[in-house]
Short mmCIF file of all heavy atoms in Angstrom, two decimals:
data_model
loop_
_atom_site.label_atom_id
_atom_site.label_comp_id
_atom_site.label_asym_id
_atom_site.label_seq_id
_atom_site.Cartn_x
_atom_site.Cartn_y
_atom_site.Cartn_z
N LYS A 1 0.87 -1.20 -0.01
CA LYS A 1 -0.02 -0.02 0.00
C LYS A 1 0.89 1.29 -0.07
O LYS A 1 1.93 1.29 0.72
CB LYS A 1 -0.90 0.03 1.25
CG LYS A 1 -2.02 -0.99 1.18
CD LYS A 1 -2.93 -0.84 2.39
CE LYS A 1 -4.03 -1.87 2.42
NZ LYS A 1 -4.93 -1.75 3.62
N TYR A 2 0.49 2.24 -0.78
CA TYR A 2 1.21 3.47 -0.84
C TYR A 2 0.28 4.69 -0.32
O TYR A 2 -0.86 4.73 -0.81
CB TYR A 2 1.71 3.75 -2.24
CG TYR A 2 2.83 2.87 -2.66
CD1 TYR A 2 2.58 1.62 -3.22
CD2 TYR A 2 4.16 3.22 -2.48
CE1 TYR A 2 3.57 0.75 -3.54
CE2 TYR A 2 5.21 2.42 -2.85
CZ TYR A 2 4.86 1.14 -3.38
OH TYR A 2 5.93 0.31 -3.72
N TYR A 3 0.88 5.39 0.56
CA TYR A 3 0.06 6.50 1.17
C TYR A 3 0.49 7.92 0.66
O TYR A 3 1.63 8.02 0.08
CB TYR A 3 0.35 6.44 2.67
CG TYR A 3 -0.28 5.26 3.45
CD1 TYR A 3 0.30 4.05 3.39
CD2 TYR A 3 -1.48 5.49 4.05
CE1 TYR A 3 -0.27 2.93 4.03
CE2 TYR A 3 -2.06 4.28 4.74
CZ TYR A 3 -1.47 3.13 4.74
OH TYR A 3 -2.01 2.06 5.34
N SER A 4 -0.41 8.82 0.82
CA SER A 4 -0.15 10.18 0.41
C SER A 4 1.04 10.73 1.31
O SER A 4 1.19 10.22 2.46
CB SER A 4 -1.38 11.08 0.66
OG SER A 4 -1.11 12.40 0.63
N THR A 5 1.72 11.68 0.82
CA THR A 5 2.79 12.28 1.60
C THR A 5 2.38 13.74 2.04
O THR A 5 3.23 14.46 2.51
CB THR A 5 4.13 12.36 0.78
OG1 THR A 5 3.92 13.07 -0.46
CG2 THR A 5 4.60 10.92 0.44
N GLY A 6 1.14 14.06 1.79
CA GLY A 6 0.58 15.37 2.08
C GLY A 6 0.45 15.71 3.53
O GLY A 6 0.45 14.82 4.41
N LYS A 7 0.44 16.99 3.92
CA LYS A 7 0.28 17.40 5.25
C LYS A 7 -1.12 17.76 5.66
O LYS A 7 -1.45 17.82 6.95
CB LYS A 7 1.16 18.64 5.49
CG LYS A 7 2.64 18.40 5.29
CD LYS A 7 3.48 19.71 5.50
CE LYS A 7 4.93 19.47 5.27
NZ LYS A 7 5.72 20.61 5.49
N GLU A 8 -2.07 17.91 4.70
CA GLU A 8 -3.42 18.24 5.03
C GLU A 8 -4.37 17.67 3.99
O GLU A 8 -3.94 17.31 2.85
CB GLU A 8 -3.67 19.82 5.08
CG GLU A 8 -3.34 20.48 3.75
CD GLU A 8 -3.61 21.93 3.79
OE1 GLU A 8 -4.34 22.37 4.68
OE2 GLU A 8 -3.22 22.69 2.80
N THR A 9 -5.63 17.64 4.33
CA THR A 9 -6.66 17.18 3.37
C THR A 9 -7.56 18.35 3.05
O THR A 9 -8.01 19.03 3.99
CB THR A 9 -7.45 16.04 3.97
OG1 THR A 9 -6.64 14.96 4.33
CG2 THR A 9 -8.59 15.61 2.98
N LYS A 10 -7.78 18.65 1.78
CA LYS A 10 -8.49 19.78 1.31
C LYS A 10 -9.99 19.53 1.74
O LYS A 10 -10.43 18.40 1.97
CB LYS A 10 -8.52 19.94 -0.25
CG LYS A 10 -7.10 20.05 -0.78
CD LYS A 10 -6.48 21.35 -0.44
CE LYS A 10 -5.14 21.53 -1.19
NZ LYS A 10 -4.38 22.79 -0.82
N ASP A 11 -10.75 20.60 1.92
CA ASP A 11 -12.12 20.43 2.40
C ASP A 11 -13.14 20.88 1.33
O ASP A 11 -14.34 20.99 1.69
CB ASP A 11 -12.28 21.24 3.68
CG ASP A 11 -12.06 22.74 3.49
OD1 ASP A 11 -11.68 23.16 2.37
OD2 ASP A 11 -12.13 23.49 4.51
N TYR A 12 -12.68 21.16 0.12
CA TYR A 12 -13.69 21.51 -0.93
C TYR A 12 -14.02 20.35 -1.84
O TYR A 12 -13.11 19.42 -2.04
CB TYR A 12 -13.26 22.74 -1.72
CG TYR A 12 -11.84 22.68 -2.25
CD1 TYR A 12 -11.59 21.89 -3.40
CD2 TYR A 12 -10.77 23.38 -1.67
CE1 TYR A 12 -10.28 21.83 -3.95
CE2 TYR A 12 -9.50 23.30 -2.23
CZ TYR A 12 -9.31 22.57 -3.35
OH TYR A 12 -8.01 22.53 -3.88
N PRO A 13 -15.21 20.37 -2.47
CA PRO A 13 -15.57 19.25 -3.29
C PRO A 13 -14.78 19.22 -4.68
O PRO A 13 -14.46 20.34 -5.17
CB PRO A 13 -17.02 19.40 -3.52
CG PRO A 13 -17.29 20.89 -3.38
CD PRO A 13 -16.30 21.31 -2.35
N VAL A 14 -14.58 18.06 -5.23
CA VAL A 14 -13.85 17.88 -6.48
C VAL A 14 -14.64 16.95 -7.33
O VAL A 14 -15.18 15.90 -6.89
CB VAL A 14 -12.41 17.33 -6.29
CG1 VAL A 14 -11.76 17.04 -7.64
CG2 VAL A 14 -11.53 18.42 -5.55
N VAL A 15 -14.77 17.23 -8.65
CA VAL A 15 -15.37 16.36 -9.61
C VAL A 15 -14.24 16.06 -10.68
O VAL A 15 -13.61 16.88 -11.15
CB VAL A 15 -16.54 17.00 -10.27
CG1 VAL A 15 -17.02 16.15 -11.51
CG2 VAL A 15 -17.72 17.22 -9.34
N VAL A 16 -14.12 14.74 -10.97
CA VAL A 16 -13.13 14.29 -11.95
C VAL A 16 -13.90 14.00 -13.25
O VAL A 16 -14.84 13.26 -13.22
CB VAL A 16 -12.34 13.15 -11.48
CG1 VAL A 16 -11.28 12.67 -12.60
CG2 VAL A 16 -11.50 13.45 -10.24
N LEU A 17 -13.47 14.56 -14.33
CA LEU A 17 -14.06 14.29 -15.66
C LEU A 17 -13.20 13.39 -16.49
O LEU A 17 -12.03 13.66 -16.67
CB LEU A 17 -14.20 15.67 -16.37
CG LEU A 17 -15.00 15.75 -17.64
CD1 LEU A 17 -16.36 15.19 -17.55
CD2 LEU A 17 -15.09 17.22 -18.12
N GLN A 18 -13.77 12.30 -16.90
CA GLN A 18 -12.97 11.23 -17.64
C GLN A 18 -13.77 10.75 -18.84
O GLN A 18 -14.93 11.01 -19.03
CB GLN A 18 -12.66 10.08 -16.75
CG GLN A 18 -13.90 9.25 -16.31
CD GLN A 18 -13.61 7.92 -15.62
OE1 GLN A 18 -12.53 7.73 -15.01
NE2 GLN A 18 -14.59 7.00 -15.72
N ASN A 19 -13.04 10.03 -19.72
CA ASN A 19 -13.71 9.35 -20.84
C ASN A 19 -13.01 8.08 -21.16
O ASN A 19 -12.04 7.62 -20.43
CB ASN A 19 -13.81 10.22 -22.10
CG ASN A 19 -12.45 10.61 -22.60
OD1 ASN A 19 -11.35 10.19 -22.16
ND2 ASN A 19 -12.50 11.51 -23.62
N SER A 20 -13.32 7.36 -22.24
CA SER A 20 -12.64 6.13 -22.63
C SER A 20 -11.22 6.27 -23.00
O SER A 20 -10.45 5.28 -23.04
CB SER A 20 -13.42 5.48 -23.77
OG SER A 20 -13.35 6.32 -24.94
N GLY A 21 -10.69 7.53 -23.25
CA GLY A 21 -9.30 7.70 -23.45
C GLY A 21 -8.54 8.02 -22.28
O GLY A 21 -7.30 8.15 -22.29
N SER A 22 -9.10 8.02 -21.11
CA SER A 22 -8.46 8.20 -19.92
C SER A 22 -7.87 6.78 -19.35
O SER A 22 -8.63 5.92 -19.16
CB SER A 22 -9.42 8.70 -18.74
OG SER A 22 -9.98 9.91 -19.11
N ALA A 23 -6.56 6.75 -19.28
CA ALA A 23 -5.91 5.40 -19.07
C ALA A 23 -4.76 5.47 -18.10
O ALA A 23 -4.18 6.56 -17.85
CB ALA A 23 -5.51 4.78 -20.38
N SER A 24 -4.53 4.33 -17.56
CA SER A 24 -3.30 4.17 -16.66
C SER A 24 -3.24 5.13 -15.51
O SER A 24 -4.07 5.07 -14.66
CB SER A 24 -2.02 4.21 -17.57
OG SER A 24 -0.93 3.75 -16.95
N ALA A 25 -2.22 6.04 -15.59
CA ALA A 25 -1.97 6.95 -14.47
C ALA A 25 -3.09 7.89 -14.23
O ALA A 25 -3.46 8.26 -13.16
CB ALA A 25 -0.68 7.75 -14.70
N SER A 26 -3.90 8.25 -15.35
CA SER A 26 -5.05 9.10 -15.10
C SER A 26 -6.16 8.32 -14.37
O SER A 26 -6.93 8.87 -13.59
CB SER A 26 -5.57 9.63 -16.44
OG SER A 26 -6.00 8.62 -17.27
N GLU A 27 -6.26 7.02 -14.63
CA GLU A 27 -7.22 6.20 -13.90
C GLU A 27 -6.78 5.98 -12.46
O GLU A 27 -7.67 5.99 -11.54
CB GLU A 27 -7.35 4.80 -14.54
CG GLU A 27 -7.96 4.90 -15.93
CD GLU A 27 -8.04 3.44 -16.62
OE1 GLU A 27 -6.96 3.05 -17.04
OE2 GLU A 27 -9.12 3.00 -16.79
N LEU A 28 -5.50 5.91 -12.16
CA LEU A 28 -5.07 5.83 -10.80
C LEU A 28 -5.40 7.14 -10.10
O LEU A 28 -5.90 7.09 -8.96
CB LEU A 28 -3.52 5.63 -10.78
CG LEU A 28 -2.89 5.32 -9.43
CD1 LEU A 28 -1.63 4.44 -9.66
CD2 LEU A 28 -2.40 6.55 -8.68
N PHE A 29 -5.20 8.35 -10.71
CA PHE A 29 -5.57 9.59 -10.16
C PHE A 29 -7.08 9.64 -9.83
O PHE A 29 -7.48 10.00 -8.71
CB PHE A 29 -5.21 10.72 -11.13
CG PHE A 29 -5.55 12.06 -10.62
CD1 PHE A 29 -4.68 12.79 -9.80
CD2 PHE A 29 -6.77 12.69 -10.96
CE1 PHE A 29 -5.04 14.08 -9.40
CE2 PHE A 29 -7.06 13.96 -10.54
CZ PHE A 29 -6.16 14.63 -9.73
N THR A 30 -7.84 9.21 -10.86
CA THR A 30 -9.31 9.26 -10.65
C THR A 30 -9.77 8.31 -9.54
O THR A 30 -10.58 8.69 -8.61
CB THR A 30 -10.07 8.84 -11.95
OG1 THR A 30 -9.65 9.70 -12.96
CG2 THR A 30 -11.55 8.87 -11.76
N ALA A 31 -9.22 7.17 -9.44
CA ALA A 31 -9.61 6.06 -8.40
C ALA A 31 -9.24 6.66 -7.08
O ALA A 31 -10.01 6.44 -6.10
CB ALA A 31 -8.90 4.77 -8.68
N ALA A 32 -8.11 7.22 -6.84
CA ALA A 32 -7.66 7.73 -5.61
C ALA A 32 -8.54 8.86 -5.08
O ALA A 32 -8.95 9.01 -4.04
CB ALA A 32 -6.19 8.13 -5.56
N MET A 33 -8.85 9.80 -6.07
CA MET A 33 -9.70 10.95 -5.78
C MET A 33 -11.12 10.49 -5.33
O MET A 33 -11.78 10.96 -4.46
CB MET A 33 -9.81 11.95 -6.84
CG MET A 33 -8.50 12.67 -7.15
SD MET A 33 -7.87 13.69 -5.78
CE MET A 33 -9.25 14.94 -5.68
#
């Protein structure tokens, strides 16, 4: 397991926009968010 190295967690909402061309590292980003 790999953990964030951040010092704080943001408190505002985020929406991730993706499509069928979103792959690999962008999917990792989306899954974590």
Side-chain angles (χ1 to χ4, degrees):
K1 289 183 179 180
Y2 289 84
Y3 289 80
S4 166
T5 58
K7 297 180 180 179
E8 63 174 345
T9 300
K10 306 291 187 184
D11 58 0
Y12 51 77
V14 172
V15 173
V16 179
L17 189 52
Q18 67 169 27
N19 64 4
S20 60
S22 304
S24 192
S26 64
E27 291 177 290
L28 188 150
F29 179 86
T30 301
M33 291 300 293

